[in-house]
Amino acid sequence: MTKRIFTKTGLLALAAVVLSACGGNAAPAASELTPEGLGCLKNGAPVASIPDQCQGLYDKVMKSEEEDMGDTYTLYTFYSGEQKVAEIPAYGQTVDLLIVYSPEVSTPEGMRPGMKVSELLAKPGLKTLYHEGFEYELNGFRCRVDGMKESGLKKLNDAYAQGTELVLAAADFEPDAAVTCIYYVGD
């Protein structure tokens, strides 16, 4: 019985075939968003230190000048292939906010983009915030969701008008409603 051993050249050729068959871009590796940041993107780090690529997280960065109520800022958008992974709206010289869109990234509590709202609502300690836009918060991590039904919008408007706590149920969202992004703000 003879053993066959791949040569380095054979393995490289096989890897090239697999990469070209898959489009050449790998999805970002599963990661955790922490209070410190995500991979190469660190909260509090100088914006100038943002690398052009971060192995396993993103392979390109797009910069654009944006305007918000008269203030101009630089928006850094990070991609893995064509998938948007994250954004940093840089109003100053440091990374103060990192917004994550990749479903491969989660918080320590398991909150992640793409998670169904029905699953999110089952998380103990989840808070509903609606004074600065509608969001959910869990241990300093916030998320935005989509797919709110009319019943949810009515509850939101009523709670805002009356200054009461907003309580939403899974029935106040479309069945496919999901978390769109996550970010850390602290406690």
Side-chain angles (χ1 to χ4, degrees):
M1 180 169 160
T2 44
K3 289 185 179 180
R4 289 194 172 164
I5 300 174
F6 283 105
T7 64
K8 287 182 185 177
T9 306
L11 285 174
L12 288 174
L14 178 62
V17 167
V18 169
L19 279 175
S20 64
C22 296
N25 292 315
S31 311
E32 187 172 82
L33 175 64
T34 68
E36 290 76 33
L38 173 65
C40 304
L41 305 173
K42 301 295 183 193
N43 286 323
V47 173
S49 71
I50 295 173
D52 291 336
Q53 296 181 347
C54 185
Q55 182 67 35
L57 187 59
Y58 63 89
D59 54 26
K60 70 179 172 185
V61 181
M62 303 290 290
K63 290 188 226 178
S64 61
E65 294 299 314
E66 305 290 328
E67 191 173 319
D68 181 25
M69 298 170 77
D71 288 333
T72 302
Y73 65 96
T74 303
L75 180 64
Y76 295 82
T77 307
F78 305 90
Y79 293 91
S80 177
E82 297 302 313
Q83 179 186 3
K84 181 163 70 167
V85 174
E87 289 179 335
I88 294 175
Y91 287 89
Q93 300 300 313
T94 59
V95 175
D96 297 320
L97 178 62
L98 171 60
I99 304 168
V100 178
Y101 297 91
S102 173
E104 303 298 322
V105 178
S106 68
T107 68
E109 294 80 11
M111 190 166 53
R112 63 176 170 62
M115 166 187 266
K116 296 287 185 196
V117 170
S118 56
E119 185 182 347
L120 174 70
L121 293 175
K123 297 248 177 234
L126 187 70
K127 298 176 191 170
T128 306
L129 308 172
Y130 64 91
H131 293 292
E132 298 174 14
F134 174 71
E135 301 174 315
Y136 284 107
E137 184 174 338
L138 183 60
N139 297 331
F141 293 92
R142 290 191 183 175
C143 71
R144 296 185 185 134
V145 300
D146 64 9
M148 188 182 293
K149 291 181 181 178
E150 282 296 319
S151 63
L153 291 171
K154 181 175 177 356
K155 288 179 181 180
L156 175 63
N157 289 333
D158 290 348
Y160 184 77
Q162 298 167 8
T164 59
E165 181 181 354
L166 175 62
V167 179
L168 296 170
D172 294 316
F173 294 89
E174 298 294 335
D176 61 346
V179 172
T180 59
C181 64
I182 57 176
Y183 58 99
Y184 181 73
V185 294
D187 293 323

